[in-house]
Amino acid sequence: MIQLEKLGYFLPQGYLFEQVSVQVNRGDKIGLVGKNGAGKSTMLKLLSGQITPSEGAIHQPKGLKYGYLTQDIVIKSKETVYNYLFLSNLELNRIRERLDFINHELVTRTDYESDYYSGILDELSELNHEFQVLEGFQWEEKIKATLDGLGFSDLDQQKLIQACSGGWKMRAELARILVNNPDILLLDEPTNHLDIISISWLENYLQRFDGAVILISHDRLFLDNVTKRTLEISQGRVLDFPFAYSKYKLMRAEEMERMEQSKKQQDKQIKQTEQLIEKFRAKSSKASFAQSLMKKLEKTERIEVEKDVVSKIKLTFPLSVHPGKWVLEMNDLSKSYGDRTLFESVNITVGRGEKIALLGPNGVGKSTLLKSITKEIDFDGEVLYGHNVNVAYFAQDQAEKLDPTKTIYETVDDIAVGEIRKDLRSILGTFLFTGEVVEKKVSVLSGGERTRLALCVLLLSPSNFLILDEPTNHLDLQSKDVLKRALQSYEGTFVVVSHDREFLDGLCNRIWDIENRNLKIHHFTLNEYLQYKMSKKDLPTGKVTELVKEKAVKVEKPVQEKKPTNVKVEKEVQQIERKIEESEKQIEEMEAHIASLTFDETNTHTEVLNEYDSTKQKLAALMAEWELKMSEL
């Protein structure tokens, strides 16, 4: 499909990469990785034709269609979101216009026997066939399904695209690219502005996509689930691994270890050669020998090993003081903007040590709820803090609150206390601030750099209740790992909003979900929560009993002839289905009860959760038994 031949790109400071020879085939799903500044986005720009290579060539078939999602999207359309997609296919637009003209001619003309009339009838047939081949009759359905999958409500789809935020414009552009079904997708951080459900939808879409995909992402799970091949840009070269990200990292680590050993051996040999040269160069009888050694040394290709940026430093959020048994209480908490109510009648008590993920689509009020909890905005109802509670809040605009007159080092030096002060430079290095960079003023930092610094400041601030709104935005995989490990060892309580599934997985023991203006508490794992939400998105109901009935129908449909059935097994199936319905009802009642518990009822709380887990396990066993019996039938 695409062949890169000795490709190179030159910048004033030197080659970004050179001598790159790579082949991309139809159906390849490729993750493009490398350090910040290695040239990942530049590579996508070269492939898309936005810039030309300094040397080498890109060979591709004539008429190859690219879908390129860049991070700096500019949309000049004055249409609604829906019409932006509807009018995006020029071929379909051309056919529609011509069909409208022909239909008008057929209605108004009366020269039925003329060659012209016969000609436009033939053209009408050809255009209808072409329209069908281009899936024009399914065009509106494709647009609706894609916009739904990416989180656009019916109301959102009728908004003027110029009135949308940057994040929603990015979603609209991604939708436009997908519905036009290009041969190759080039995606630069496609999950940046997507919520957790939309990310899952996009993941499923890309897994089924027939063409090639090359994507840049800091979402490890997304890379693992979508890609089967990894290209790493390292020290001006492109390394090709036939694995998804996680396996590539393991293989790369082993390779780096081998290279380290080879480099040590080479360094030892070079040192010995230099000692011999120094020893013999002054002696006339050995001068020619020394000269030959020098030439050999000059021709030696030095092994360069790029240091793995993954730091082994272990950071922990310092705990200020131990709070009381409960840290937060919300009584009839509600928030509205004009006629729009985001949430209402929220009544929840948060106990010490809870680790909560606040999830839900963009625009449902997650950030507003956090601002209400921190009392940054006005609200209806009551928010109370427990004894000795010390809140640290990381807002999405936290970077703007940093003092622009201070350097990076001064900013963290003013916050850090205790033993951790000795490791300040290492900690800054973990967040990609190394060497002389730490002396930069905050005022000259980019938005991403400021966000990383603000998170580093939070990491060093003593607290016992953390509230984090999208803390992983602008963080690379290494920095996210450091933050996750710090939160896992944190002894306090936290509420975090994030759409990064790999970051949240194994981090939280509660899920809050804003749905239909209510705050629901789930005791699911993250994967169970996603399955629950996706089933609600794809099916009329998420009930297991409905799935059971659907499966039963699917089993019976292919049967062409009437066959004798096992009456005993049929009865057993019916009994199991009744038990499944009973277990589901018990689980619903328990979830309602758990949501109403306060943390003064410690023993009851533990007992109910244990019973809840036991009932879920029982339901899983019943479902397995049901499948087994159905296979017997």
Side-chain angles (χ1 to χ4, degrees):
M1 185 181 263
I2 304 172
Q3 178 74 48
L4 308 187
E5 183 186 3
K6 296 182 179 179
L7 196 72
Y9 192 74
F10 190 79
L11 296 173
Q13 60 268 36
Y15 274 100
L16 196 56
F17 39 76
E18 59 180 327
Q19 295 293 307
V20 175
S21 295
V22 172
Q23 183 167 322
V24 179
N25 303 309
R26 183 173 181 82
D28 277 352
K29 304 292 195 310
I30 299 170
L32 186 59
V33 303
K35 286 182 176 179
N36 285 5
K40 300 187 294 294
S41 294
T42 302
M43 180 63 79
L44 293 193
K45 287 178 182 176
L46 285 167
L47 289 169
S48 67
Q50 288 204 355
I51 57 176
T52 55
S54 305
E55 59 188 32
I58 300 174
H59 304 290
Q60 60 189 31
K62 189 177 180 181
L64 191 71
K65 290 195 301 180
Y66 284 91
Y68 176 40
L69 182 74
T70 176
Q71 291 193 50
D72 49 349
I73 291 167
V74 177
I75 298 176
K76 296 180 179 178
S77 172
K78 295 181 180 178
E79 299 288 346
T80 63
V81 170
Y82 182 87
N83 283 344
Y84 178 62
L85 269 68
F86 184 79
L87 300 172
S88 65
N89 190 300
L90 299 181
E91 276 297 291
L92 290 179
N93 292 345
R94 177 188 64 80
I95 294 171
R96 276 193 216 96
E97 288 176 11
R98 188 62 187 163
L99 285 172
D100 286 344
F101 172 78
I102 290 174
N103 285 324
H104 180 265
E105 288 284 277
L106 293 175
V107 169
T108 56
R109 296 182 72 97
T110 57
D111 53 340
Y112 308 123
E113 304 300 325
S114 68
D115 291 341
Y116 177 81
Y117 201 90
S118 176
I120 61 174
L121 281 175
D122 291 340
E123 187 183 356
L124 177 67
S125 177
E126 289 171 7
L127 286 173
N128 276 319
H129 176 70
E130 191 179 351
F131 197 70
Q132 184 174 6
V133 169
L134 292 172
E135 297 184 336
F137 296 109
Q138 293 85 39
W139 185 237
E140 293 183 50
E141 186 182 335
K142 280 174 67 178
I143 291 171
K144 185 74 169 61
T146 305
L147 288 174
D148 285 346
L150 291 174
F152 287 91
S153 67
D154 291 343
L155 192 62
D156 292 331
Q157 294 176 27
Q158 299 309 317
K159 276 185 182 176
L160 290 176
I161 201 158
Q162 292 299 327
C164 295
S165 66
W168 286 101
K169 284 180 181 176
M170 190 284 293
R171 290 190 191 213
E173 180 64 13
L174 177 58
R176 183 195 68 79
I177 290 168
L178 297 183
V179 296
N180 280 284
N181 199 31
D183 300 305
I184 180 166
L185 287 169
L186 307 174
L187 306 177
D188 195 347
E189 296 289 358
T191 64
N192 261 5
H193 298 283
L194 299 184
D195 59 68
I196 202 163
I197 303 300
S198 300
I199 291 172
S200 294
W201 180 89
L202 178 61
E203 194 174 86
N204 291 331
Y205 181 95
L206 294 178
Q207 287 168 350
R208 298 191 304 268
F209 180 65
D210 289 334
V213 178
I214 302 177
L215 67 91
I216 300 168
S217 179
H218 286 151
D219 186 329
R220 188 198 313 267
L221 192 61
F222 187 71
L223 284 171
D224 276 344
N225 289 341
V226 172
T227 67
K228 296 179 181 177
R229 181 178 167 195
T230 301
L231 297 179
E232 180 191 2
I233 302 177
S234 173
Q235 296 183 321
R237 298 178 301 139
V238 172
L239 308 173
D240 195 344
F241 297 85
F243 314 111
Y245 183 82
S246 290
K247 189 169 182 183
Y248 138 77
K249 284 297 287 182
L250 291 173
M251 302 300 289
R252 182 68 167 133
E254 291 175 7
E255 184 179 306
M256 296 278 279
E257 193 174 334
R258 288 194 295 270
M259 287 179 68
E260 282 278 9
Q261 294 302 319
S262 299
K263 188 178 187 313
K264 285 179 183 177
Q265 185 64 31
Q266 188 187 64
D267 289 346
K268 185 179 177 182
Q269 291 171 352
I270 288 171
K271 187 176 180 182
Q272 289 172 347
T273 304
E274 287 173 341
Q275 287 173 346
L276 286 172
I277 292 169
E278 193 63 32
K279 182 178 180 181
F280 295 128
R281 72 192 307 171
K283 296 181 181 180
S284 57
S285 61
K286 299 287 186 179
S288 60
F289 177 59
Q291 283 293 324
S292 67
L293 288 176
M294 288 171 69
K295 287 179 182 177
K296 181 182 176 183
L297 202 58
E298 286 171 4
K299 291 179 181 178
T300 301
E301 188 175 337
R302 305 291 178 106
I303 297 172
E304 296 290 337
V305 180
E306 185 174 35
K307 295 292 182 184
D308 194 341
V309 295
V310 177
S311 173
K312 289 185 170 62
I313 186 168
K314 186 177 180 182
L315 301 180
T316 56
F317 285 98
L319 199 67
S320 53
V321 291
H322 281 282
K325 190 175 265 188
W326 62 272
V327 298
L328 173 69
E329 187 176 318
M330 293 177 277
N331 298 316
D332 291 325
L333 182 64
S334 303
K335 179 62 184 177
S336 299
Y337 289 101
D339 295 334
R340 188 186 176 202
T341 300
L342 292 176
F343 48 84
E344 58 187 352
S345 302
V346 175
N347 291 282
I348 291 177
T349 301
V350 178
R352 181 179 64 211
E354 283 198 46
K355 321 293 185 188
I356 299 163
L358 174 57
L359 306 179
N362 288 350
V364 295
K366 299 187 298 294
S367 294
T368 303
L369 178 62
L370 296 188
K371 288 176 182 176
S372 300
I373 290 172
T374 57
K375 304 180 182 180
E376 298 245 328
I377 59 173
D378 295 329
F379 53 85
D380 296 321
E382 189 176 42
V383 172
L384 302 173
Y385 296 144
H387 179 63
N388 277 342
V389 169
N390 183 3
V391 179
Y393 174 41
F394 181 86
Q396 288 193 37
D397 61 350
Q398 195 69 26
E400 306 306 315
K401 299 175 184 178
L402 297 172
D403 187 340
T405 64
K406 290 182 179 178
T407 66
I408 293 171
Y409 189 85
E410 287 169 346
T411 302
V412 295
D413 189 48
D414 288 348
I415 296 293
V417 293
E419 287 292 308
I420 204 165
R421 291 180 61 80
K422 295 186 294 185
D423 295 321
L424 283 184
R425 288 190 177 271
S426 297
I427 292 167
L428 285 169
T430 302
F431 285 91
L432 307 180
F433 299 114
T434 57
E436 296 177 1
V437 173
V438 300
E439 301 304 327
K440 273 187 179 181
K441 294 280 188 185
V442 171
S443 58
V444 302
L445 299 181
S446 68
E449 289 172 326
R450 288 192 186 203
T451 300
R452 294 201 307 271
L453 181 57
L455 192 59
C456 192
V457 168
L458 182 77
L459 190 74
L460 298 167
S461 307
S463 66
N464 53 31
F465 185 22
L466 291 173
I467 297 178
L468 310 169
D469 194 357
E470 296 286 5
T472 61
N473 281 359
H474 306 293
L475 293 187
D476 69 346
L477 291 163
Q478 170 214 1
S479 302
K480 284 196 283 191
D481 283 343
V482 172
L483 175 61
K484 182 173 180 176
R485 289 197 301 268
L487 286 172
Q488 284 172 328
S489 62
Y490 183 56
E491 295 179 12
T493 307
F494 64 75
V495 179
V496 58
V497 172
S498 176
H499 298 311
D500 191 316
R501 295 162 301 164
E502 197 274 334
F503 175 74
L504 291 175
D505 190 30
L507 184 63
C508 304
N509 55 23
R510 298 281 186 282
I511 291 176
W512 286 0
D513 182 15
I514 299 179
E515 186 179 295
N516 298 326
R517 299 189 298 277
N518 293 316
L519 186 63
K520 297 185 177 181
I521 302 176
H522 297 290
H523 296 269
F524 298 148
T525 64
L526 181 66
N527 284 336
E528 288 172 338
Y529 168 80
L530 287 173
Q531 288 170 10
Y532 162 73
K533 296 297 281 189
M534 291 300 283
S535 70
K536 289 188 71 176
K537 195 178 183 74
D538 295 334
L539 299 167
T541 173
K543 296 274 188 190
V544 177
T545 47
E546 292 295 325
L547 289 172
V548 167
K549 290 171 187 171
E550 185 184 318
K551 285 181 181 179
V553 170
K554 285 181 178 177
V555 169
E556 291 168 6
K557 269 186 182 177
V559 178
Q560 301 297 320
E561 301 173 12
K562 195 125 176 152
K563 293 184 179 180
T565 58
N566 190 323
V567 177
K568 182 184 176 185
V569 177
E570 282 186 345
K571 286 183 178 179
E572 288 173 348
V573 167
Q574 291 170 4
Q575 290 173 356
I576 293 168
E577 287 178 355
R578 281 196 295 272
K579 289 178 182 178
I580 286 172
E581 290 179 2
E582 289 170 7
S583 295
E584 283 183 330
K585 189 176 179 182
Q586 288 173 9
I587 287 171
E588 284 184 5
E589 291 170 353
M590 286 182 202
E591 285 178 346
H593 180 49
I594 289 168
S596 66
L597 285 175
T598 67
F599 281 80
D600 293 331
E601 304 172 279
T602 310
N603 294 332
T604 306
H605 185 264
T606 305
E607 185 181 322
V608 170
L609 282 180
N610 288 339
E611 187 181 351
Y612 176 77
D613 290 337
S614 173
T615 308
K616 282 182 69 180
Q617 290 171 9
K618 178 183 172 185
L619 177 60
L622 286 168
M623 286 300 298
E625 189 179 355
W626 180 87
E627 297 238 3
L628 186 63
K629 292 296 179 185
M630 288 303 296
S631 67
E632 287 182 32
L633 285 174

